[in-house]
Amino acid sequence: MTYVVTESCIRCKYTDCVDVCPVDCFREGPNFLVIDPDECIDCTLCVAECPVEAIYAEDDVPEPQQSFKALNAELARLWKPIIERKPAPADADQWKDVADKLRYLER
């Protein structure tokens, strides 16, 4: 089982999770993070660090967010690793409680 970043991360992109990952499995896009399923060791450390609760165990991803499993795998092959925490976007707090953000995902 791996972990999956879901819609809540879009346009927030807090990187607290990156600091605790022992295997550097996070990949960074313009306004979203994903987890490389081939690198994730299922340690669970990132889950508690996410301030918007965007990270789920693969088996626990909510039904409306199931497409994020494939999306994480796809984008992990395209995006570069992020290995240290960065400041969140200036408007991240404004986006953290917004729903239906998939349309804002930048590839």
Side-chain angles (χ1 to χ4, degrees):
M1 180 171 57
T2 186
Y3 282 78
V4 178
V5 181
T6 60
E7 188 171 39
S8 296
C9 182
I10 297 171
R11 298 214 51 179
C12 291
K13 201 171 91 168
Y14 295 102
T15 57
D16 306 49
C17 52
V18 172
D19 269 349
V20 298
C21 182
V23 294
D24 300 330
C25 69
F26 284 89
R27 305 296 182 256
E28 181 182 24
N31 67 350
F32 185 56
L33 298 176
V34 297
I35 293 174
D36 183 336
D38 294 330
E39 296 292 326
C40 180
I41 60 169
D42 311 325
C43 71
T44 76
L45 294 173
C46 59
V47 175
E49 293 301 314
C50 181
V52 294
E53 299 177 358
I55 303 172
Y56 292 87
E58 184 177 23
D59 292 344
D60 297 332
V61 174
E63 189 59 39
Q65 308 262 331
Q66 288 290 311
S67 64
F68 280 85
K69 293 178 188 180
L71 188 62
N72 273 241
E74 172 194 340
L75 297 176
R77 290 190 301 271
L78 303 174
W79 290 349
K80 293 183 180 183
I82 176 173
I83 57 173
E84 59 185 28
R85 187 178 184 176
K86 295 180 179 180
D91 62 349
D93 286 342
Q94 296 169 345
W95 284 97
K96 70 180 182 178
D97 296 319
V98 174
D100 300 320
K101 297 192 287 185
L102 185 56
R103 66 181 176 256
Y104 300 112
L105 175 64
E106 296 176 28
R107 293 172 177 255

